[in-house]
Amino acid sequence: MEAAKKRNIAYIENVKNAPAFGLRDKIGYLCGDLGFNSLQVIVNSYLMLFCVNILGMNAVHFAGIVFICKALDALNDTFIGRTVDRRAPAKNGKMKPYLLWFAVPYAIFTLILFMNVHAMPYAAKIAWVLIIYFFWGIIGTFINVPYGAMSNIITTNQIERTELSNFRSIGSFAASMGTTTIAPLLLFDQNNDPIAGRFILLSVILGVFCTVCLFLAHTLIHERVLVEEVKVNENGEKINYLQVAKSFLHNRVMIAVVASYVIVKLFIQPVSTLNQYVFMTYFQDTSSLAMASLTTMGPMLLGMVFLKPLVKRFGKRRLLHGRFWDRHLCMEPICFFLLDLKNGFSVSLWHLHVLPA
């Protein structure tokens, strides 16, 4: 009890004596997404290829594993969020310690995911991938949930939060570009076939990189908003999850946010997962995967440049509202590329159509 009291006093002192918001916080927040998403991208983009082509799993069975784990992940997000919320702050902060505690386990479980267990019986391989992938998701959530909530306790200023969001986007963008550019050049041989041992090598490299980035994020970021400890009664806190679900169905804002996220995922996730097979079997040139990844740079860079001034001018709510775009700007990004491998020709076109206000 005395130790907990001392930790709480140290936490309050650290928050009150935190330096002014500045570049250190922005770089730290960038590092968090840079490291975390490096492993997210390699797993989301190449785990299917590894399981189907290296381990010899049926694609339908792999899809079932992903469905089960993602469904369970959606459920455990709530419990992990409550765990983070109810836990008393540590000396270094309320959210920051999770980056430190789970960085190494996250890297280790990514490495285990790409271990070559081809010699196992088929049922054992299914069970192995299912269990490891499930725990990998839980560990990732213990990093992502506190990290996502951290911007609200780094600063209360809306413009500064937007800057943090912008730097986070830069980190995510760099992780995606770096991983999707390097991975195809490392993981495939000259015949466009994946090499089992290279997946472990890339996992080690990215695992070390992720750990260093999360440690940097923990060091550079300062929490400036005190978060009170959630009090529970002696019998434990009871939450009516059925009531929570009912209230969700009547919350139009939350439904819109969740629906938009699901729709975006439905478009993005299949592309990142199946691109490898498109270039491996149809184009028969996996080295061009790096070029394909670069086609996303245009829209992303424009968003980074204009996000802060637009939020400052119009505010987040108006910026996201459909009527704003109807009255001011209508953007229709169409990204596509044409490949003719015989002639060595590659074209990337990004068309931006702007309607007058």
Side-chain angles (χ1 to χ4, degrees):
M1 197 70 179
E2 189 66 28
K5 188 177 180 180
K6 289 181 179 180
R7 281 198 305 270
N8 192 54
I9 293 173
Y11 162 68
I12 294 173
E13 288 297 321
N14 284 336
V15 170
K16 288 183 176 180
N17 297 325
F21 177 84
L23 184 61
R24 281 173 57 95
D25 297 278
K26 300 175 192 177
I27 297 298
Y29 212 58
L30 180 153
C31 287
D33 236 60
L34 178 62
F36 181 77
N37 276 296
S38 294
L39 295 185
Q40 283 281 318
V41 169
I42 192 64
V43 170
N44 291 338
S45 299
Y46 286 94
L47 184 61
M48 178 178 176
L49 179 72
F50 178 79
C51 290
V52 173
N53 289 65
I54 303 297
L55 300 186
M57 289 174 55
N58 188 306
V60 175
H61 296 159
F62 176 79
I65 289 173
V66 173
F67 177 81
I68 292 171
C69 290
K70 291 298 182 183
L72 293 174
D73 190 50
L75 294 175
N76 68 44
D77 279 3
T78 303
F79 297 102
I80 291 175
R82 289 301 293 166
T83 300
V84 172
D85 192 41
R86 290 175 57 176
R87 187 195 169 278
K91 176 183 177 181
N92 293 323
K94 174 71 173 179
M95 305 297 177
K96 278 175 51 175
Y98 289 92
L99 305 184
L100 200 63
W101 296 336
F102 289 93
V104 174
Y106 186 54
I108 291 174
F109 268 82
T110 304
L111 177 65
I112 296 174
L113 261 180
F114 288 105
M115 287 180 60
N116 189 355
V117 293
H118 182 270
M120 277 187 178
Y122 190 79
K125 284 189 287 190
I126 296 291
W128 171 271
V129 175
L130 176 63
I131 294 170
I132 301 301
Y133 188 55
F134 173 68
F135 281 105
W136 177 84
I138 289 178
I139 294 171
T141 303
F142 266 112
I143 295 174
N144 200 34
V145 167
Y147 175 75
M150 201 182 298
S151 63
N152 295 321
I153 57 178
I154 293 176
T155 177
T156 57
N157 184 286
Q158 184 181 9
I159 301 302
E160 291 175 350
R161 286 180 181 177
T162 302
E163 291 176 349
L164 284 175
S165 178
N166 210 9
F167 271 77
R168 180 179 184 177
S169 297
I170 294 172
S172 177
F173 173 75
S176 179
M177 286 299 98
T179 304
T180 55
T181 301
I182 295 172
L185 304 177
L186 182 65
L187 297 179
F188 297 94
D189 60 20
Q190 294 180 345
N191 297 320
N192 299 309
D193 294 320
I195 307 171
R198 298 285 181 84
F199 286 88
I200 285 288
L201 175 62
L202 186 59
S203 299
V204 171
I205 294 172
L206 293 180
V208 172
F209 178 73
C210 171
T211 302
V212 171
C213 285
L214 291 177
F215 271 69
L216 283 174
H218 179 271
T219 302
L220 296 175
I221 293 172
H222 290 278
E223 297 182 9
R224 296 175 178 82
V225 179
L226 284 173
V227 181
E228 295 183 4
E229 184 180 352
V230 178
K231 302 294 183 181
V232 297
N233 56 41
E234 294 179 358
N235 297 324
E237 185 180 19
K238 295 182 179 179
I239 300 176
N240 189 333
Y241 287 100
L242 181 60
Q243 187 62 39
V244 172
K246 288 180 179 179
S247 64
F248 168 79
L249 294 176
H250 291 89
N251 190 329
R252 293 187 300 171
V253 175
M254 184 60 68
I255 291 174
V257 170
V258 172
S260 62
Y261 179 80
V262 170
I263 291 170
V264 169
K265 280 292 184 181
L266 285 175
F267 280 97
I268 293 178
Q269 195 66 49
V271 172
S272 64
T273 302
L274 299 177
N275 250 0
Q276 287 65 249
Y277 285 100
V278 172
F279 283 85
M280 194 169 67
T281 60
Y282 182 78
F283 294 120
Q284 296 183 351
D285 184 4
T286 52
S287 62
S288 295
L289 271 167
M291 178 63 71
S293 300
L294 296 177
T295 60
T296 62
M297 288 185 66
M300 196 77 163
L301 290 174
L302 281 178
M304 292 175 185
V305 171
F306 291 109
L307 178 62
K308 181 181 176 181
L310 284 173
V311 170
K312 189 175 183 179
R313 173 68 178 82
F314 300 105
K316 290 182 179 179
R317 185 173 180 179
R318 289 188 63 197
L319 195 62
L320 293 173
H321 203 285
R323 292 179 183 176
F324 169 83
W325 294 107
D326 290 341
R327 293 179 58 189
H328 293 84
L329 184 67
C330 180
M331 300 178 66
E332 179 192 345
I334 303 174
C335 300
F336 64 93
F337 54 89
L338 304 173
L339 291 170
D340 184 349
L341 298 175
K342 291 183 179 179
N343 298 322
F345 178 71
S346 174
V347 176
S348 174
L349 175 63
W350 184 64
H351 173 66
L352 177 64
H353 181 57
V354 181
L355 298 180

